[in-house]
Structure formats: structure tokens, C-alpha cells
Amino acid sequence: MEHTSKDLRVRRTLKAIRSAFYELVLTKNYSDISITELTDLAEINRKTFYLHYSSLDDLVKEVEQEIVDHILQNVRMSAEQMDVAGCVDNFYHYLDECDEVQQKLLCDSHYYFFYEDVTDAVLKSNAFSRFFEMTKHPDIVRSYSICITFIYRNWLKNGRPIPLDELIEYASMIIAKGYSGIIEKEA
């Protein structure tokens, strides 16, 4: 459900809902967030929430779509040119520049469903269609492509042990060349 009202009260209400949701995301797992808690924090009543969203999942879908749109803005050109390294570079820089809420939604294991929905939408977009159309088993290739985010999430979880640019270079090689592309050859 896209909200584009010009009514100031509606925009304030939607902003309050979104702010309350983001605050709860930072402190709770999704399964622990209730509509009552969200509406209390947003200082609105439940009925007002339901005027704008049919459920908490409806709000999540809206946030997911916004993030998909932002990711595609960042990687579309590289994807359309079938530039794997460019996709990884742009995507990692996007993730690195995300705010705390977006990083939690995309990288925290308690929000794995969110990450899966966003990743699925990005990889099924027109920008990525050529990557998969040229293969015999597009679903297998799409599954392999998901590794890009796992690499970043693990790097983040481990406290960023190497510089971002080195991570980008290494992840690009792994994705583009597979394991054989990163094995250190004996001298």
C-alpha cells in the first residue's frame, strides 16, 4: 500500500508509525513487535493504524519495497551491463551507507525473512533478468547470487576485519569466478 497523501495529518501519522516501527526494530525481534506496542509508541490508536495498514506485515512490505527500490537505484546500471564486480561494489557501498535500522533489517538473523523478500525482489527485477536468462538453471544461479549478502553480513558480524574495498574485491572474485578464482596458487 503506497501512501502519497498530501494531508498533513496523514503524513504525520504515517511518519509516527514508521518512526515507532524503526525504534522497535532496533530493540526487538520482529516476532516480538505488537500492533499495540507500535501504536502506543506512535501515540495513535489501533484504529488509526488499521486505516493505513491491514497488518504489521503490510507495513513491512512497504518498507521492503522502498529498500528494493533504493538497492536497484544503486546497482541497476551495473546489473544491466552484467558487471558482477560493479554490482557487488555498488551493493556493498549501499549496505555500508545504510542507517542502523536498514542494516538490522537486511543483516540481522532475526529479520532473515525481510532480507529474503528484498533479495528475491531485487534478483527477479528486470535489471537482473539477463544474468539468469542466459543460464540453463536460473534458480540455481539466483541462489548462488544470494551469497553476496551472506559475505557482507558475515563481515559485519565479525567486526569488519578487513577494509571494505578488500572485501568488495574478494567477494567479486568469489562470485564471478567461484572458489577456483580465489585459491592461492602455489608458487
Side-chain angles (χ1 to χ4, degrees):
M1 179 184 311
E2 188 172 333
H3 297 97
T4 56
S5 175
K6 293 182 183 192
D7 184 321
L8 184 58
R9 291 171 298 168
V10 171
R11 287 186 305 191
R12 282 184 189 150
T13 299
L14 293 172
K15 185 177 180 181
I17 291 169
R18 188 66 71 97
S19 293
F21 177 66
Y22 289 165
E23 190 174 327
L24 291 170
V25 163
L26 291 174
T27 59
K28 294 181 170 267
N29 298 332
Y30 182 70
S31 59
D32 297 330
I33 298 174
S34 70
I35 298 290
T36 301
E37 187 173 30
L38 186 141
T39 55
D40 287 348
L41 194 57
E43 297 180 346
I44 61 170
N45 64 45
R46 288 172 59 90
K47 190 174 180 182
T48 301
F49 176 86
Y50 287 113
L51 285 173
H52 303 285
Y53 300 99
S54 60
S55 66
L56 194 54
D57 290 340
D58 193 23
L59 170 60
V60 167
K61 291 294 178 203
E62 185 177 274
V63 174
E64 286 173 351
Q65 188 57 53
E66 289 172 10
I67 289 178
V68 167
D69 293 344
H70 289 159
I71 291 170
L72 288 173
Q73 282 176 334
N74 283 277
V75 302
R76 180 175 279 115
M77 189 179 300
S78 295
E80 288 171 351
Q81 295 172 355
M82 298 193 60
D83 175 6
V84 173
C87 287
V88 173
D89 182 47
N90 292 321
F91 182 55
Y92 281 10
H93 278 101
Y94 168 80
L95 287 172
D96 204 50
E97 293 166 7
C98 282
D99 64 32
E100 190 178 11
V101 173
Q102 293 166 324
Q103 279 202 346
K104 183 159 184 184
L105 289 169
L106 290 168
C107 298
D108 188 286
S109 61
H110 293 104
Y111 286 89
Y112 187 76
F113 71 93
F114 188 95
Y115 155 77
E116 276 194 332
D117 290 348
V118 167
T119 302
D120 193 49
V122 167
L123 293 178
K124 287 184 177 176
S125 71
N126 289 336
F128 282 90
S129 62
R130 284 187 44 218
F131 274 109
F132 307 113
E133 289 171 353
M134 297 173 56
T135 66
K136 184 175 180 181
H137 302 288
D139 287 336
I140 294 171
V141 176
R142 190 176 287 114
S143 297
Y144 180 68
S145 300
I146 292 170
C147 295
I148 293 169
T149 308
F150 279 106
I151 293 167
Y152 181 87
R153 290 168 65 192
N154 193 54
W155 173 77
L156 197 62
K157 184 174 99 180
N158 289 327
R160 302 171 179 248
I162 61 174
L164 179 62
D165 289 338
E166 189 175 337
L167 174 73
I168 290 168
E169 181 182 347
Y170 205 72
S172 295
M173 282 192 294
I174 292 171
I175 299 302
K177 297 179 181 179
Y179 185 67
S180 63
I182 61 154
I183 294 176
E184 293 184 28
K185 306 291 184 208
E186 290 185 33

